Amino acid sequence: MQEKINGLLEELAKAFADVKTMQELNDLKVQYQGKKGIITELSAGIKDVPNEEKKEYGMHVNTLRVAFNDAYDKNKTRLEEELVNKKLKEETIDISLPSVKNMRGSKHPFNRIIEEVEDLFVSMGYDVVDGPELEDDEHCFRLLNYTVGHPARDAQDTFYIDEEYLLRTQTSSSQSRVMQANTEKSPIRVICPGKTYRRDDDATHSHQFGQVEGLVIDKNISLADLKGTLEIFAKKLLGEETKVRFRPSYFPFTSPSCEVDVTCFKCGGKGCPLCKKTGWIELLGAGMVHPNVLKMGGYDPDEFTGFAFGTGLDRLAMFKYAIPDIRYMYGNDIRFLRQFDRKDEEYEIKY
Ligand code: PHE
């Protein structure tokens, strides 16, 4: 019996030395401890052993069982560790690889200006209001005192959808909409930035451009309020040293009307090619809201007065960032757009 067991122990050691997978380990378990396994059958065989040999027989079988269990447990632990290590190795992320470079966008100069203008006016208590780009003749013209056939319409030819609908030529159309929408006829303080369209095409005029409209309606609003507001606007946007000048002008929906100029930011007002040697640059149109327009908007002109102004957003961006051609704004050229990835104070504008 001793010999038999020794032989079995040797076989067992060899069998375990060859085990490489869990499957093989499980097969060994069946081979030794399964229903018809070697150890199982040896244990069952004890009944045929004479009584006086039973004790020794049992001891031998037990030696084999302990040896098997021992080897089984050790190999199981070893295989499990191997499996975990293999997984860890396979799933490792190589952080030493250079990353894929992300292209970072930058804000379009047009949006930069809108945000700057909005921040300034919101800080003065204004609301920001949107209006439709596809407008009707009524809001773009008639409610603004441009009667049918009015000569001032000539300067504002645009893209017509049909007799009544057109692409708005000015954000002033928002004036009539804001007045109309304010059913309580309470005071108004709004700016309306957005896209506008005209039949234009040269270095300083594009068929698409942007404007921002300002409208204030309240009791006792005077030209002095308009002047103070526009002075703050010009200084904040173009520099504290900027001076403002008002010239008489004409718009059907304001009276009196004016054109507002600012001192040239290149020469400071001395005269240079940018300002055509005048020292001044035209910035915007403005005026006191015409009584007819107030009336058509549902406001009593004896009780309410107001001012309005409108300026080209592209123009502002072109001044501010020294952009020589308005068409760059709409060309989608990434070399142009990439130049606007800095903070305002980091620009050194050279004309
Ligand atoms: N809408 C006018 C234009 O485009 C500008 C303007 C706005 C004038 C508001 C007066 C008041 O020329």
Side-chain angles (χ1 to χ4, degrees):
M1 186 63 190
Q2 175 82 54
E3 264 167 47
K4 189 178 175 187
I5 291 294
N6 282 346
L8 282 171
L9 282 172
E10 242 172 70
E11 252 175 58
L12 188 110
K14 263 191 221 152
F16 272 108
D18 283 345
V19 166
K20 290 197 184 59
T21 63
M22 276 293 180
Q23 181 62 47
E24 285 169 10
L25 188 69
N26 287 337
D27 288 349
L28 277 184
K29 187 149 181 103
V30 174
Q31 196 187 332
Y32 280 84
Q33 292 189 322
K35 259 192 198 157
K36 291 197 172 133
I38 298 169
I39 297 174
T40 320
E41 294 205 323
L42 278 173
S43 299
I46 200 162
K47 62 180 188 305
D48 305 323
V49 176
N51 271 348
E52 61 277 17
E53 289 171 27
K54 271 197 185 9
K55 191 176 170 197
E56 204 196 330
Y57 183 93
M59 264 166 52
H60 283 309
V61 176
N62 208 38
T63 308
L64 186 63
R65 179 180 295 118
V66 170
F68 176 86
N69 287 342
D70 225 32
Y72 179 86
D73 288 346
K74 270 194 201 126
N75 278 278
K76 192 168 176 230
T77 314
R78 172 179 64 85
L79 286 174
E80 277 169 358
E81 266 172 22
E82 274 175 18
L83 222 72
V84 170
N85 286 339
K86 191 171 161 238
K87 241 185 150 177
L88 278 176
K89 223 181 195 163
E90 280 171 2
E91 290 172 10
T92 313
I93 299 165
D94 183 355
I95 55 164
S96 67
L97 268 180
S99 64
V100 183
K101 222 175 160 64
N102 278 331
M103 281 258 280
R104 217 184 69 177
S106 54
K107 244 177 225 162
H108 194 283
F110 186 78
N111 293 328
R112 289 178 79 113
I113 289 289
I114 290 193
E115 282 178 20
E116 205 176 328
V117 173
E118 283 181 357
D119 281 353
L120 172 62
F121 280 98
V122 166
S123 79
M124 297 199 284
Y126 285 65
D127 286 331
V128 180
V129 177
D130 234 358
E133 287 168 36
L134 179 58
E135 241 323 343
D136 50 30
D137 188 277
E138 186 186 8
H139 291 88
C140 197
F141 294 125
R142 296 201 297 274
L143 289 174
L144 292 172
N145 230 6
Y146 294 78
T147 42
V148 176
H150 194 295
R153 287 179 178 234
D154 287 356
Q156 304 209 7
D157 196 8
T158 183
F159 302 90
Y160 281 87
I161 309 303
D162 58 25
E163 292 275 306
E164 181 61 17
Y165 285 93
L166 47 94
L167 294 186
R168 67 177 176 187
T169 56
Q170 49 186 354
T171 44
S172 303
S173 55
S174 311
Q175 284 191 37
S176 36
R177 287 199 173 269
V178 169
M179 281 188 239
Q180 215 170 36
N182 187 346
T183 46
E184 290 168 20
K185 303 304 162 198
S186 54
I188 290 173
R189 223 170 232 84
V190 292
I191 56 162
C192 317
K195 292 191 206 110
T196 41
Y197 304 83
R198 283 187 206 182
R199 195 171 171 273
D200 279 335
D201 183 19
D202 63 43
T204 52
H205 297 89
S206 156
H207 66 277
Q208 180 194 314
F209 56 107
Q211 282 192 339
V212 59
E213 195 77 9
L215 175 69
V216 171
I217 295 177
D218 206 337
K219 292 175 184 162
N220 301 319
I221 295 290
S222 75
L223 201 62
D225 298 310
L226 172 64
K227 191 159 183 251
T229 306
L230 292 181
E231 254 168 19
I232 292 176
F233 175 52
K235 283 183 198 295
K236 283 272 181 289
L237 215 78
L238 302 168
E240 286 299 325
E241 62 294 340
T242 311
K243 289 198 188 66
V244 179
R245 160 176 103 169
F246 285 61
R247 280 182 291 114
S249 184
Y250 174 79
F251 301 102
F253 49 98
T254 46
S255 179
S257 302
C258 57
E259 208 81 56
V260 179
D261 301 336
V262 288
T263 38
C264 175
F265 22 83
K266 189 185 175 197
C267 63
K270 286 190 212 85
C272 70
L274 183 74
C275 57
K276 300 194 187 92
K277 300 222 160 50
T278 62
W280 294 96
I281 284 175
E282 191 185 312
L283 187 68
L284 51 81
M288 299 306 291
V289 181
H290 195 289
N292 282 357
V293 173
L294 282 171
K295 237 185 268 172
M296 286 188 275
Y299 283 83
D300 178 357
D302 290 330
E303 198 184 343
F304 285 96
T305 48
F307 68 72
F309 60 88
T311 184
L313 287 166
D314 309 82
R315 230 175 127 65
L316 286 178
M318 287 166 79
F319 287 153
K320 197 150 178 166
Y321 303 114
I323 300 166
D325 192 320
I326 190 172
R327 288 166 292 199
Y328 287 150
M329 304 278 279
Y330 301 102
N332 279 341
D333 188 333
I334 231 159
R335 291 167 303 176
F336 169 74
L337 297 172
R338 271 212 195 116
Q339 298 174 57
F340 301 96
D341 60 355
R342 284 163 285 163
K343 293 200 193 94
D344 257 8
E345 53 275 19
E346 289 168 9
Y347 284 94
E348 198 197 321
I349 307 290
K350 285 204 187 82
Y351 279 96

